[in-house]
Amino acid sequence: MKEQFVKTEELSFSYQAENENEAIPAVKNLSVEFSSGEYVAILGHNGSGKSTFAKLLNLILEPVSGRLFVDGKERTAELSEGELLDLRRTVGMVFQNPDNQLVATIVEEDVAFGPENLGYPREELRKRVDDALATVGMTEYASYEPHRLSGGQKQRVAIAGVLAMTPRCIIFDESTAMLDPSGRREVLSTIRRLNREEGITIINITHYMNEAAEADRILVMNDGELLFEGTPDEVFSRRDELLAVGLEVPQSAELVFRLREAGIDLPTEALSTPEKCAACIADAYFAKRKGGAVDG
Amino acid sequence: MDKLRLENVTYRYDVGTAFEQTALDDVTLSIEEGKITGIIGHTGSGKSTMMKLLNGLDHPAEGKVYLDGVDLNADKKELLSSSSLFEKYQNLSKSARKKAILSEYADFKKNLCFRVGLVMQYPEYQLFEETVEKDISFGPKNMGLSEEEIKKRVREAAMLTGVSEDLFEKSPFDLSGGQKRRVALAGVMAMKPEVLVLDEPAAGLDPRGRNNIFSSIVDYRNQTGSTVIIVSHSMEDMAKYCDRVVVMNHARVAMEGDRKEVFAHVGELSSMGLDIPEITRLAELLRERGLPLTDAIYTVEEATSALLSVFGKGGADR
Amino acid sequence: MKGFTLGQYYPGNSFIHRLDPRAKIILGILAIVCTFLCKTLFSFILLFALTLILAILSRIPLKILLRSLRPVLFILLFTSLVNIFMTKGENLLFEYWIFHVYEEGLWNALFMIVRITSLIVMTGIFLTYTTTPIALTDGLEQLLSPLKKLHIPVHDFAMMITIALRFIPTLAEETERIMNAQRARGVNFSSGGLFKRVRSLIPILIPLFVSAFNRAFDLANAMECRCYHGGEGRTRLNVLHYKAADFIAMILLLGIGIGLFFANRFTFGGMIR
């Protein structure tokens, strides 16, 4: 078992309604654990509380109740400034809109923004910026103005800005939702590399099923609660439950379910990738043919 | 029949600066009436520029855009000598003809944005009125319709997009993201455009929101018989909802035709940086494993029926 | 819109482009002082020559430099006329009805034109044309940093300007998008009376404000996540460093200023009154 990195106990949060005194719950009694180096996806429809949960993890929002442990230490709203900065350095965040998270007018200065705030000396800043830009493959754009970059490039700069703080975990809050397919590929392959090569814990909040399929584990959220969790194979085998909360399964898995409904006996244990689905369908086909049931 | 037609259209951005680029390069294209046409291409392939030319928001540097055969950017000289309007008023005296042609063309230009409705990317950013109802009425009001007609259209558009009437008195800013998107779409549909042009209508929405938006677009077409143009880079959605597909690449039309014809060239499409639908990849994998799938497959429905017949169940269940 | 450039910055790599922004701010101020030191024809000739030399050194096309005079054209014309007709002197050149034109008036008008033109062109060369807005902001922040001791929030102001500069292109793009969306709903921005035109801005301004607030909210979140906690304890990646050239340039211009002051002793031609 890997070392535990984040743990929440009964974490809850409510937004204050504007006119009335009632509170609108966004996250309800969430107890989850992430281990170090894990790649987790959080699925949920818009408004399921998944973004709120992400903001609780680095105390951008203060939980109403419950406890949060990061890297073995309990983090509460009464942290000292130093501890709070340490938490935010350790758990970095990349948001949805690439335009709204770049601060500086030049790429390398934006990447330097986090480390600058942490007060590293100049030589260290230089090294961190150069390393971070190299990791996301944006070195040649170091002196560009952000508004001349594509969406995918902007998000890679945002990732570099987080990387330059040498975090142990990065939360991606629907970071690919506003990108085109090539931008999405760029960002996803960067995420994969950070997880595999740098050993960074990844929490990817998304509503793209095929993105979630890349994770080690998927948490499915609905109405602020954890609905269920499991490996992609396990989660995508519960297609009807996903449909009921406004989600779906990837196209390949959907096909297997429809064939099953039409009376073809197919197993649904391993449907997280097209390859697995193809294997499942092909096996059934050849088994049937051997039995002589398929004509022509 | 061609509803819209682009002839040798060229368009350039930032002319005269270091950032000059050609967004459309000698594009000739016809959009069939009553069909849903998908325009696919990666970012910067010129597809978003094209939509601004279709309702006169912008005009091409070279070439012509026609709606029902009328040039959107005709100059006066052309109008008075060789246009379709000229033929219409041929019998009038010269001065009467001039007057008739110019006033009809002015009307045409004025009504253009109501006839070709544009839904921009992330249209929820255009909401501004105090209530949802007022916001949906904004377009129809600008058309100068009667109160009664406006009310009727707002109801219809709200029904089509699934905006419940309970929301009518709410502020559009208090709605969820998906609801805002639907209100914005209703705002354009309430103008009942003959051509509805949408840029990435489902961008950023969750699966349910996506399906809702697309089915209301299809419903709109079915109810009004309008022409629909969807600009997108999602081949999955295009395969699901479009009758015809136009593929843009490097500011030119790379492919054009019925979706079957276009999606048959899967290899070329992926070389243009487009994402092949996952189901098409799955079909490919199955073929590699020796399953006898003959037709090109690009929707889950097609895959299901193709495989059912492969499994020998085709007739029994469908 | 990708070609959006802010201000008048003219990209280049001339001697002046490479100077430290702080030095350029000081040079700009010195240049302004220089223009006001001139009093006689001789010193104005020198001032004009200085402006020309700087223009050549900056390698900015003359056409672009002259463009910066466009906004002050009216002021130039007006002060010239006032000087020509209102200056009383000894040497009457021309008289008609209530208008009296003296030789001194002509000199004054000429001097004012040279003074204003040099002032604008020289500050343009030192500041707006050769320095990016962001470098200017950095320069100002560091020049004014001693004021931090007096609890004047220099860093916060600089951060505000930086963010504003960063978001101007984004909001410009957004404005265009919203305008297009509303035009597609039948708003006409270019016709109708004043009242109608102002009213047609509402559908632009409200969405723009809403989106700007959302962006501000997002950005505040993102900055907090990246450990922003004000200017305290903050280091900088790109710290400005004076080079020898900066000191030489400043000393040179200071010397020229002193030279201009003494050049006023040569009193041939006219002098300012």
Side-chain angles (χ1 to χ4, degrees):
Chain A
M1 189 61 203
K2 275 186 169 171
E3 150 202 22
Q4 177 199 78
F5 182 62
V6 173
K7 184 180 171 196
T8 71
E9 282 176 7
E10 304 277 315
L11 209 60
S12 296
F13 181 81
S14 328
Y15 286 101
Q16 212 61 45
E18 243 169 68
N19 306 321
E20 303 116 84
N21 288 325
E22 63 181 304
I24 305 162
V27 169
K28 300 176 201 160
N29 301 327
L30 209 57
S31 301
V32 293
E33 282 178 38
F34 304 125
S35 52
S36 186
E38 200 180 8
Y39 185 163
V40 186
I42 303 184
L43 270 179
H45 62 81
N46 293 338
S48 60
K50 52 195 192 327
S51 291
T52 308
F53 175 56
K55 288 188 184 126
L56 288 172
L57 287 183
N58 64 1
L59 289 180
I60 289 293
L61 296 176
E62 288 174 18
V64 173
S65 63
R67 305 173 75 180
L68 167 69
F69 300 88
V70 176
D71 207 6
K73 275 175 264 174
E74 174 155 17
R75 314 286 175 138
T76 63
E78 288 91 43
L79 287 182
S80 72
E81 169 129 332
E83 286 173 300
L84 193 66
L85 290 185
D86 178 58
L87 170 66
R88 296 204 174 133
R89 190 193 66 74
T90 316
V91 182
M93 221 164 149
V94 179
F95 295 91
Q96 181 182 47
N97 192 331
D99 278 323
N100 297 357
Q101 50 189 319
L102 302 182
V103 187
T105 48
I106 290 174
V107 165
E108 65 168 19
E109 294 205 350
D110 187 82
V111 175
F113 183 74
E116 284 177 344
N117 290 331
L118 293 166
Y120 292 111
R122 224 170 77 78
E123 300 73 45
E124 173 77 15
L125 288 176
R126 185 79 262 166
K127 190 177 168 310
R128 281 172 178 255
V129 169
D130 291 346
D131 288 352
L133 280 174
T135 309
V136 300
M138 289 292 291
T139 305
E140 57 182 308
Y141 296 95
S143 59
Y144 271 54
E145 292 167 61
H147 72 269
R148 301 203 196 281
L149 302 178
S150 74
Q153 290 171 330
K154 283 182 202 167
Q155 282 305 51
R156 274 150 69 199
V157 172
I159 295 173
V162 172
L163 274 182
M165 300 192 292
T166 53
R168 296 195 43 207
C169 169
I170 303 180
I171 305 171
F172 293 86
D173 189 0
E174 299 196 15
S175 308
T176 60
M178 294 181 79
L179 304 181
D180 60 3
S182 61
R184 213 150 85 217
R185 274 196 299 266
E186 283 170 38
V187 170
L188 279 180
S189 74
T190 308
I191 294 179
R192 247 190 324 260
R193 220 177 37 244
L194 292 180
N195 181 248
R196 295 205 185 129
E197 290 168 21
E198 318 277 325
I200 293 173
T201 311
I202 302 288
I203 301 174
N204 186 16
I205 296 172
T206 180
H207 47 234
Y208 290 107
M209 302 304 136
N210 39 15
E211 249 176 56
E214 297 201 0
D216 302 328
R217 191 155 61 103
I218 301 177
L219 309 184
V220 182
M221 281 187 68
N222 188 44
D223 282 339
E225 287 172 314
L226 180 66
L227 201 62
F228 55 87
E229 60 173 304
T231 62
D233 282 340
E234 285 161 7
V235 167
F236 291 141
S237 69
R238 303 168 76 164
R239 171 239 207 180
D240 293 343
E241 288 163 84
L242 289 171
L243 285 178
V245 295
L247 298 170
E248 56 187 11
V249 292
Q251 282 191 326
S252 318
E254 176 67 22
L255 173 67
V256 173
F257 278 101
R258 292 203 189 173
L259 292 175
R260 243 176 96 91
E261 277 160 14
I264 296 171
D265 188 25
L266 293 168
T268 58
E269 286 89 58
L271 302 178
S272 61
T273 63
E275 287 74 18
K276 286 184 186 172
C277 293
C280 149
I281 295 171
D283 289 350
Y285 172 74
F286 289 114
K288 204 168 182 187
R289 216 163 72 157
K290 230 181 217 167
V294 174
D295 43 80
Chain B
M1 207 208 117
D2 292 348
K3 186 71 187 171
L4 277 161
R5 186 167 162 74
L6 278 77
E7 263 178 29
N8 308 101
V9 166
T10 297
Y11 186 93
R12 293 183 199 90
Y13 272 112
D14 297 325
V15 177
T17 72
F19 301 94
E20 175 171 337
Q21 50 176 315
T22 306
L24 294 173
D25 183 7
D26 196 20
V27 169
T28 297
L29 181 69
S30 297
I31 305 290
E32 257 180 81
E33 179 153 20
K35 294 257 166 86
I36 298 183
T37 302
I39 300 182
I40 335 180
H42 58 82
T43 308
S45 61
K47 55 190 174 25
S48 294
T49 306
M50 193 188 287
M51 62 182 287
K52 278 192 281 181
L53 302 182
L54 295 181
N55 81 339
L57 270 183
D58 215 332
H59 55 87
E62 288 156 40
K64 297 277 182 199
V65 185
Y66 298 97
L67 172 66
D68 286 334
V70 182
D71 184 351
L72 300 194
N73 308 293
D75 62 45
K76 212 167 150 185
K77 217 167 139 193
E78 276 173 355
L79 273 176
L80 297 177
S81 60
S82 60
S83 65
S84 55
L85 287 174
F86 177 79
E87 280 157 39
K88 185 171 165 190
Y89 293 112
Q90 224 168 12
N91 304 328
L92 296 177
S93 74
K94 199 177 170 195
S95 65
R97 186 170 64 212
K98 184 175 169 185
K99 211 171 146 193
I101 292 177
L102 288 181
S103 91
E104 187 169 333
Y105 191 68
D107 274 356
F108 168 79
K109 289 285 273 189
K110 211 177 106 197
N111 290 320
L112 196 54
C113 66
F114 305 121
R115 293 179 62 194
V116 182
L118 215 61
V119 182
M120 316 283 280
Q121 216 179 115
Y122 301 106
E124 53 272 29
Y125 286 129
Q126 74 192 29
L127 302 176
F128 74 99
E129 285 280 16
E130 295 149 54
T131 68
V132 167
E133 187 178 16
K134 275 189 183 168
D135 209 291
I136 303 178
S137 323
F138 182 66
K141 220 174 243 166
N142 287 332
M143 294 172 78
L145 299 173
S146 69
E147 273 307 307
E148 227 169 294
E149 176 70 15
I150 293 176
K151 273 228 150 81
K152 193 176 135 239
R153 285 183 172 211
V154 170
R155 287 254 148 73
E156 284 171 1
M159 187 96 89
L160 264 173
T161 50
V163 175
S164 110
E165 291 196 17
D166 305 340
L167 300 177
F168 273 20
E169 292 307 313
K170 276 200 166 184
S171 158
F173 300 110
D174 289 341
L175 304 181
S176 75
Q179 285 172 329
K180 278 187 201 164
R181 180 78 54 93
R182 280 182 270 159
V183 170
L185 183 60
V188 177
M189 284 183 177
M191 302 193 297
K192 283 204 184 154
E194 300 153 41
V195 184
L196 182 64
V197 188
L198 307 106
D199 190 358
E200 292 292 352
L205 295 182
D206 59 22
R208 190 185 278 165
R210 254 185 130 68
N211 292 338
N212 284 341
I213 288 286
F214 276 113
S215 60
S216 53
I217 294 168
V218 174
D219 287 348
Y220 177 78
R221 194 274 308 260
N222 293 345
Q223 278 183 25
T224 61
S226 300
T227 309
V228 175
I229 300 172
I230 304 175
V231 175
S232 175
H233 37 229
S234 163
M235 293 227 313
E236 254 174 57
D237 293 336
M238 296 291 101
K240 230 159 142 184
Y241 300 105
C242 293
D243 307 312
R244 288 180 60 78
V245 174
V246 176
V247 183
M248 297 290 298
N249 194 30
H250 297 309
R252 286 168 179 270
V253 175
M255 266 185 249
E256 178 188 0
D258 282 354
R259 63 169 170 182
K260 269 211 159 114
E261 292 164 28
V262 170
F263 281 94
H265 300 87
V266 158
E268 279 170 66
L269 291 174
S270 66
S271 74
M272 290 173 202
L274 292 167
D275 258 1
I276 305 300
E278 186 184 304
I279 200 74
T280 309
R281 248 182 66 218
L282 176 75
E284 214 55 54
L285 289 170
L286 287 173
R287 266 186 217 114
E288 279 168 24
R289 284 172 172 266
L291 265 74
L293 290 170
T294 44
D295 287 345
I297 284 168
Y298 36 81
T299 65
V300 177
E301 287 73 23
E302 284 165 345
T304 314
S305 63
L307 278 165
L308 284 178
S309 73
V310 162
F311 272 93
K313 291 224 175 198
D317 291 87
R318 298 273 137 170
Chain C
M1 284 306 279
K2 291 244 166 185
F4 190 93
T5 27
L6 187 75
Q8 301 171 302
Y9 180 65
Y10 187 86
N13 193 29
S14 73
F15 169 73
I16 298 180
H17 278 89
R18 279 174 315 204
L19 289 175
D20 185 287
R22 286 169 299 179
K24 282 195 268 194
I25 293 170
I26 295 171
L27 285 166
I29 295 168
L30 279 176
I32 295 172
V33 174
C34 281
T35 58
F36 284 99
L37 284 175
C38 298
K39 294 225 153 33
T40 64
L41 177 64
F42 183 57
S43 56
F44 272 110
I45 290 172
L46 291 179
L47 181 70
F48 194 67
L50 174 68
T51 311
L52 277 182
I53 291 168
L54 285 175
I56 292 164
L57 273 178
S58 72
R59 297 212 202 117
I60 296 166
L62 202 61
K63 212 171 88 190
I64 286 176
L65 283 176
L66 290 179
R67 210 184 286 161
S68 64
L69 289 175
R70 215 182 285 156
V72 294
L73 221 54
F74 174 75
I75 298 175
L76 275 177
L77 198 76
F78 185 73
T79 49
S80 307
L81 289 177
V82 168
N83 274 307
I84 291 173
F85 292 112
M86 307 299 269
T87 312
K88 300 253 179 300
E90 289 145 14
N91 205 348
L92 187 67
L93 292 178
F94 177 83
E95 189 174 15
Y96 176 75
W97 190 36
I98 54 163
F99 297 111
H100 305 271
V101 176
Y102 295 91
E103 188 191 326
E104 287 82 353
L106 285 182
W107 283 120
N108 267 6
L110 178 73
F111 291 152
M112 283 317 285
I113 290 174
V114 175
R115 177 175 282 172
I116 295 174
T117 315
S118 311
L119 183 99
I120 299 221
V121 170
M122 284 200 292
T123 47
I125 288 172
F126 282 129
L127 300 171
T128 49
Y129 281 118
T130 62
T131 325
T132 57
I134 196 69
L136 266 185
T137 314
D138 276 356
L140 262 180
E141 182 187 353
Q142 293 191 28
L143 267 184
L144 298 181
S145 62
L147 293 181
K148 283 179 191 164
K149 295 217 170 68
L150 301 173
H151 296 289
I152 294 174
V154 177
H155 164 79
D156 305 53
F157 281 125
M159 183 53 90
M160 268 160 54
I161 297 173
T162 307
I163 290 172
L165 290 172
R166 153 75 187 77
F167 276 89
I168 284 171
T170 309
L171 289 176
E173 221 174 284
E174 179 118 329
T175 311
E176 196 190 65
R177 215 174 58 196
I178 296 172
M179 275 180 83
N180 276 337
Q182 305 298 27
R183 280 213 305 237
R185 295 212 280 169
V187 180
N188 194 335
F189 299 110
S190 49
S191 76
L194 184 68
F195 182 68
K196 211 176 150 200
R197 280 195 203 194
V198 171
R199 262 190 60 144
S200 73
L201 287 180
I202 293 173
I204 310 289
L205 291 179
I206 292 178
L208 199 60
F209 276 124
V210 170
S211 132
F213 276 115
N214 284 336
R215 285 181 194 280
F217 186 73
D218 279 3
L219 184 73
N221 257 342
M223 285 172 71
E224 235 184 295
C225 279
R226 290 168 73 183
C227 300
Y228 184 67
H229 54 113
E232 210 177 311
R234 208 172 124 77
T235 47
R236 295 300 302 269
L237 173 70
N238 292 325
V239 180
L240 300 171
H241 282 292
Y242 284 116
K243 292 179 296 283
D246 297 313
F247 291 112
I248 294 170
M250 285 190 280
I251 291 167
L252 222 61
L253 196 60
L254 191 68
I256 291 171
I258 295 168
L260 285 173
F261 180 73
F262 285 108
N264 285 332
R265 294 187 172 194
F266 297 88
T267 52
F268 59 89
M271 63 188 289
I272 212 157
R273 327 206 136 205

